[in-house]
Amino acid sequence: MRSPQLVPAAGLPARVTIYEVGPRDGLQNEATTVPAEVKVEFITRLLAAGLPVVEATSFVHPAWVPQLADAAEVMTALGDAGRDLPVLVPNERGLDRALELGLRHVAIFGSATETFAQRNLNRSLDEQFAMFEPVVARARAAGLDVRAYVSMCFGDPWEGDVPIGQVVDAGKRLFDLGATQLSLGDTIGVGTAGHVTALLDAFNAAGLPDDVLAMHFHDTYGQALVNTHAALLHGVTTFDASAGGLGGCPYAESATGNLATEDLVWMLDGLGIETGVSLPRLVETSTWMARHLGRPAPSRVVAALE
Ligand code: HMG
Ligand code: MG
């Protein structure tokens, strides 16, 4: 399989952690139910392709995200292999479900805007912190690792532009609940490179250095990869991506797929930045998944290589 010519560039990190969200963000918006055993195989194949972190599913209300209603079945089938994979939990009920299965990594997901907090969590912007506070406290007390997401960092479909200060306030509040990492979500994929740099500068100024930050780009406007490059240059070393470029949030109007993991790996391989991921095995996995979903993977790199 073709690979990019290796030509390193100055000023970039030697190693990047890819946080794979395909089984969760990638599948949550799929209209046709994907059988639990296919999800389990998808996760197993992604791990075998060398992805160091695979977010497996969500312990949200099953009626809110029917595609992931089989979260317990999937995690049970994974057994020990799933114990360290992160899962989304919005509230204490979600945490209880994850704890019952012995899981060790959870992620809370807040909003930088009022409208998305209401639509995605059925809570006001302020109420979301009250919902997450006991989740993080109890998870940390039980020795779990907690990631926090903040959504609508670069724009909101209902509110339009979102001031950087508002994003930093919400993100810092979520992180300060006791998270170890904050993932900055461009939920609807509208951000541009200068905006990325300015947002990261503002988080650094608020006391959150690049090494506790991750970037979560959706590729709606084709900006995900250039935005990734801007964040790499800034010093961020954790990037969320979805195999094949699947994805989108059912409660965020106009959201399309995440940055495709293959597109990210192609760029990082060309730059000589280590990820531990095998591009051929990943492409094979996304092609296999695309057959199950009945349409080609959105990723440009998958289309070029399959
Ligand atoms: P609510 O209706 O306000 O819930 O929903 P509630 O607290 O009023 O509880 C109502 C009933 O639901 C109760 O049952 C609860 O037990 C039950 P009853 O007592 O009436 O019989 N319940 C649950 N059952 C199972 N699991 C649970 C759970 N919670 C309550 N966890 C809630 C509030 C947060 C639950 C709901 O709004 C929800 O599930 N939202 C999730 C939406 C979602 O998953 N969105 C996609 C993920 S976010 C995303 O994709 C963005 C991201 O990728 C980053 C980016 O791109 O920016 C992360
Ligand atoms: Mg997302």
Side-chain angles (χ1 to χ4, degrees):
M1 188 177 279
R2 190 178 187 122
S3 54
Q5 188 167 338
L6 171 60
V7 184
L12 297 174
R15 206 186 152 78
V16 149
T17 301
I18 300 181
Y19 184 108
E20 170 64 42
V21 296
R24 194 278 302 168
D25 209 344
L27 294 184
Q28 70 184 8
N29 214 15
E30 284 297 321
T32 319
T33 307
V34 177
E37 59 269 22
V38 173
K39 291 171 179 157
V40 171
E41 184 170 347
F42 188 32
I43 293 164
T44 307
R45 283 174 176 252
L46 290 167
L47 291 168
L51 284 152
V53 188
V54 178
E55 193 170 78
T57 187
S58 293
F59 287 89
V60 296
H61 194 295
W64 280 65
V65 182
Q67 180 63 255
L68 303 182
D70 58 3
E73 189 184 343
V74 168
M75 297 317 288
T76 303
L78 282 166
D80 279 346
R83 212 77 71 204
D84 281 318
L85 305 184
V87 296
L88 291 196
V89 297
N91 53 14
E92 290 193 85
R93 175 81 188 99
L95 177 67
D96 288 338
R97 292 171 61 204
L99 287 173
E100 272 162 32
L101 294 167
L103 306 184
R104 293 194 280 252
H105 293 261
V106 294
I108 57 164
F109 50 103
S111 172
T113 66
E114 183 62 46
T115 315
F116 189 61
Q118 298 276 3
R119 291 191 178 242
N120 198 46
L121 297 167
N122 201 25
R123 297 291 181 278
S124 71
L125 186 63
D126 267 332
E127 284 166 353
Q128 69 176 343
F129 301 108
M131 180 166 75
F132 294 133
E133 197 269 330
V135 176
V136 181
R138 286 183 49 211
R140 296 294 292 181
L144 274 63
D145 180 68
V146 181
R147 170 185 243 221
Y149 282 96
V150 56
S151 286
M152 301 301 174
C153 292
F154 295 88
D156 173 287
W158 303 279
E159 299 184 18
D161 292 352
V162 183
I164 285 177
Q166 182 178 323
V167 175
V168 173
D169 285 350
K172 190 169 160 44
R173 267 181 91 176
L174 290 163
F175 181 78
D176 286 346
L177 292 174
T180 52
Q181 187 175 65
L182 181 70
S183 176
L184 309 181
D186 186 2
T187 320
I188 55 168
V190 290
T192 51
H195 197 164
V196 171
T197 308
L199 186 66
L200 288 169
D201 284 346
F203 269 107
N204 291 173
L208 272 71
D210 286 345
D211 61 6
V212 300
L213 299 174
M215 303 307 300
H216 179 103
F217 293 119
H218 285 259
D219 205 21
T220 321
Y221 288 81
Q223 304 299 302
L225 211 45
V226 72
N227 288 345
T228 299
H229 195 262
L232 269 177
L233 276 172
H234 201 278
V236 174
T237 56
T238 302
F239 292 90
D240 301 0
S242 168
L246 298 171
C249 175
Y251 296 100
E253 237 167 44
S254 76
T256 64
N258 292 77
L259 166 63
T261 315
E262 289 85 352
D263 298 13
L264 175 61
V265 172
W266 182 274
M267 180 177 79
L268 297 175
D269 280 355
L271 288 164
I273 297 175
E274 251 186 80
T275 63
V277 177
S278 156
L279 188 57
R281 292 191 79 169
L282 186 56
V283 169
E284 200 187 301
T285 299
S286 293
T287 307
W288 167 85
M289 194 64 219
R291 275 201 302 275
H292 277 286
L293 298 175
R295 58 173 197 285
S299 160
R300 302 282 286 270
V301 170
V302 174
L305 292 179
E306 70 181 337

